């Protein structure tokens, strides 16, 4: 192998509940506006025809239980509690009826967002990267294999900040279901084991500040935690 000029990035590995083996993280896809009431609070009409996506670099993953510094460049740093789908087999152009065959399991996720930058980009019809794809913005908790819990189609999804409930909905209210998302995304990408998909957040998103403690849960899937630290003054 050729010698590298710089140290190579390490592959992040996602813990799996009840197993010693971990899932190597490949790509992070995120569905936008996949709950009606969240679309409404964002001032947009949701598109029921097809999901749309943005991505986050795998390097921007952080595990549940982390303390992440309040990120630079924002004054409106938001939580978004989401169901995360973990791909476990190659999937390309799969029909909806067979899409779940490619799903290894599920996890709780936090799609952390610099809302002011996302909204400014939206208004200027620019990409969302600065608002969505930044360091330690993709928080994922332990994966639970579908062989253990099946493929959840309903269950309360909740998020609390400092013990106060901010988001409370049910994953049955996803506009585009997990098999629909996997089938649709597989018409654009050759999905691979270790790819994960954030499926969108319900209503109730809001800001956090240094010192805040976030806890989220999805019935039958698990829990997730995140603490907000002070800004990195560099
Ligand atoms: Mn989201």
């Amino acid at each position: 192998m050729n010698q590298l000029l710089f140290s190579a990035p390490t592959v992040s590995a996602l813990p799996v509940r009840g197993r010693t083996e971990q899932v190597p993280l490949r790509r992070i896809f995120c569905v936008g506006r996949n709950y009606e009431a969240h679309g409404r609070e964002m001032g947009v009409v949701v598109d029921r025809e097809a999901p749309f996506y943005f991505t986050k670099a795998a390097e921007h993953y952080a595990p549940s239980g982390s303390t992440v510094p309040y990120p630079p460049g924002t004054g409106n740093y938001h939580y978004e509690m989401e169901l995360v789908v973990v791909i476990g087999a190659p999937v390309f152009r799969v029909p909806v009826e067979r899409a779940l065959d490619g799903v290894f399991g599920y996890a709780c996720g936090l799609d952390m967002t610099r809302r002011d930058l996302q909204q400014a980009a939206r208004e200027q019809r620019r990409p969302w990267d600065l608002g969505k794809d930044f360091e330690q913005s993709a928080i994922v908790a332990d994966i639970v294999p579908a062989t253990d819990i099946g493929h959840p189609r309903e269950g309360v999804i909740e998020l609390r900040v400092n013990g106060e409930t901010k988001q409370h909905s049910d994953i049955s209210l996803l506009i585009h279901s997990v098999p629909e998302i996997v089938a649709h995304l597989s018409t654009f990408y050759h999905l691979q084991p270790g790819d994960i998909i954030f499926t969108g957040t319900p209503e109730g998103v809001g800001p956090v500040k240094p010192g805040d403690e976030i806890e989220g849960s999805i019935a039958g899937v698990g829990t997730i935690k995140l603490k907000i630290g002070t800004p990195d003054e560099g």
Side-chain angles (χ1 to χ4, degrees):
M1 185 176 144
N2 289 331
Q3 292 224 312
L4 301 173
L5 273 171
F6 309 110
S7 60
T10 52
V11 173
S12 292
L14 307 176
V16 180
R17 190 199 293 166
R19 311 239 176 135
T20 51
E21 301 96 333
Q22 300 186 314
V23 169
L25 178 58
R26 190 177 171 91
R27 291 174 291 188
I28 303 174
F29 298 97
C30 306
V31 179
R33 297 172 205 150
N34 202 17
Y35 289 82
E36 180 99 50
H38 173 60
R40 210 176 300 131
E41 75 180 349
M42 295 300 290
V44 291
V45 177
V46 295
D47 185 351
R48 294 190 165 270
E49 290 302 306
F52 74 93
Y53 310 93
F54 56 91
T55 59
K56 298 190 183 220
E59 200 155 320
H60 294 165
Y61 155 79
S64 175
S66 299
T67 298
V68 300
Y70 194 95
T74 184
N76 198 15
Y77 178 43
H78 275 210
Y79 53 78
E80 293 191 356
M81 179 67 200
E82 310 199 5
L83 174 68
V84 173
V85 176
V86 180
I87 300 296
V91 181
F92 183 57
R93 292 181 178 160
V94 71
V96 173
E97 308 78 58
R98 288 198 289 109
L100 292 180
D101 295 349
V103 174
F104 171 75
Y106 297 87
C108 291
L110 290 169
D111 165 17
M112 299 305 291
T113 300
R114 294 191 281 212
R115 188 73 68 201
D116 41 1
L117 300 188
Q118 183 207 10
Q119 285 181 327
R122 198 182 82 187
E123 281 157 23
Q124 296 169 86
R125 309 182 82 174
R126 289 176 178 173
W128 289 6
D129 301 48
L130 285 181
K132 287 292 195 180
D133 187 15
F134 56 95
E135 292 150 2
Q136 301 181 89
S137 66
I139 319 300
V140 185
D142 287 9
I143 296 167
V144 284
T147 50
D148 293 354
I149 62 160
H151 295 278
R153 290 185 172 272
E154 57 182 27
V156 171
I157 179 170
E158 273 195 320
L159 180 139
R160 296 167 291 283
V161 178
N162 305 327
E164 186 184 334
T165 301
K166 301 288 190 181
Q167 292 188 284
H168 178 95
S169 185
D170 195 291
I171 57 170
S172 64
L173 294 174
L174 282 169
I175 294 169
H176 306 288
S177 69
V178 169
E180 288 167 350
I181 293 165
V182 171
H184 183 259
L185 193 57
S186 83
T187 65
F188 297 96
Y189 295 93
H190 294 76
L191 297 178
Q192 296 292 329
D195 287 340
I196 68 173
I197 309 166
F198 281 69
T199 57
T201 196
E203 72 278 18
V205 300
V208 283
K209 58 186 188 311
D212 282 350
E213 295 189 28
I214 299 172
E215 285 182 314
S217 59
I218 301 172
V221 175
T223 59
I224 189 167
K225 284 186 180 186
L226 185 69
K227 187 168 181 187
I228 312 305
T230 52
D232 178 4
E233 302 295 351

